[in-house]
Amino acid sequence: MYMTDALVREPLTGGRAAEVDRPLLTYLDDATGERVDLTATELGGWAARAAGLLREGCGLGVGDRAAVLLPAHWQSAAVLLGAWSAGVAVSFRPRATAGLPQVEPGSDEPYDAVFVSAERLDDWLEDVPEARHRFVLGLGVTPRAPAPEEYRDWLAEVGRHTDALPASAPLTSAHAASPDGTSYRQWGSVALAVAERLDLRAGDRLLVDVAEHEQPVYWLLAPLAVGASVVLCANLDPARLDARIAAEQITRVL
């Protein structure tokens, strides 16, 4: 298993998850009431659009790099899976690293693309890296403000592309999935190890408090690697946790 064919082209689950018409990824916000349910096919379609934006809209592919400054969110999942399926190496930067120097090969050089949430773009602690192509994601149900100068609205741009994966250069499991050289195969192994530690199995439904877990290996890659589905909860109310577990048929909590 590695993060191109196994997570996108098959689509996303390697055929091991529950029925394709059931949600593979659910996003909930207890503060706003927002809810988005995506089946494997739907999430695969969004990932394909994201790949199309990079390949056809930006001319990027194998050997290019993207910096991702986004929270655990369904749109973030599409960005990540789209970049990996296009062969673009991803430098994921959680909010916890704001203000800290980034130490990775080429970190002092402009990236080919950067994806940043509107909230982090306005944070004085953030040092958003330079990039040739810049995208901002509102990530909310409220009307989005116009994209700042030199940035494009990701949701508007990605909607111009189809849900069919664009043609790309051949990828192998040995290609780098992140700028530090970690390959698709290595990230796949890490995802499987994390799933084993969490005791995740095919058919499980994992509840994730997005305020506690930013790294996508926990909320995206590990569940997909074994065919589990995910419920991402923003502004999770602890008093409603038991009710949420029952309503969503949760089998594991992270």
Side-chain angles (χ1 to χ4, degrees):
M1 167 269 187
Y2 60 102
M3 293 183 296
T4 51
D5 289 350
L7 293 186
V8 179
R9 295 181 185 274
E10 293 190 9
L12 292 167
T13 61
R16 289 179 290 179
E19 298 86 47
V20 295
D21 60 342
R22 295 184 61 186
L24 175 66
L25 189 150
T26 296
Y27 178 81
L28 303 170
D29 189 326
D30 280 347
T32 66
E34 178 184 6
R35 181 188 183 106
V36 176
D37 290 294
L38 297 174
T39 64
T41 299
E42 290 167 336
L43 183 54
W46 279 103
R49 294 183 186 97
L53 175 59
L54 289 171
R55 289 286 302 152
E56 299 165 353
C58 302
L60 303 182
V62 177
D64 292 317
R65 303 177 305 137
V68 175
L69 291 76
L70 298 173
H73 193 278
W74 73 265
Q75 293 179 28
S76 306
V79 168
L80 292 166
L81 293 170
W84 283 320
S85 67
V88 175
V90 173
S91 172
F92 184 81
R93 303 187 175 192
R95 188 156 194 167
T97 64
L100 300 177
Q102 298 295 320
V103 181
E104 62 184 25
S107 59
D108 57 343
E109 300 175 1
Y111 283 79
D112 299 290
V114 64
F115 301 87
V116 59
S117 65
E119 183 181 24
R120 290 181 67 176
L121 189 60
D122 293 335
D123 189 337
W124 66 272
L125 279 175
E126 291 285 0
D127 183 14
V128 180
E130 293 293 325
R132 291 191 291 135
H133 303 278
R134 304 176 185 180
F135 299 95
V136 62
L137 285 77
L139 301 175
V141 294
T142 56
R144 301 187 304 275
E149 187 177 355
E150 300 183 353
Y151 281 84
R152 288 185 280 169
D153 184 313
W154 179 82
L155 199 57
E157 295 293 329
V158 81
R160 306 177 193 275
H161 297 269
T162 71
D163 59 2
L165 277 172
S168 61
L171 279 172
T172 72
S173 60
H175 276 98
S178 49
D180 64 3
T182 304
S183 69
Y184 288 97
R185 179 188 295 112
Q186 290 169 320
W187 273 117
S189 296
V190 170
L192 289 171
V194 169
E196 182 177 3
R197 182 164 65 83
L198 297 176
D199 196 25
L200 276 178
R201 300 171 186 173
D204 273 336
R205 191 151 169 82
L206 175 69
L207 177 72
V208 179
D209 182 347
V210 302
E212 299 294 329
H213 301 282
E214 292 184 278
Q215 292 289 354
V217 71
Y218 289 100
W219 61 265
L220 180 65
L221 299 183
L224 296 190
V226 295
S229 60
V230 187
V231 178
L232 300 176
C233 290
N235 300 300
L236 182 61
D237 182 355
R240 298 177 58 189
L241 179 59
D242 289 343
R244 178 72 74 197
I245 290 172
E248 300 296 332
Q249 300 181 331
I250 299 299
T251 60
R252 296 285 185 273
V253 177
L254 181 60

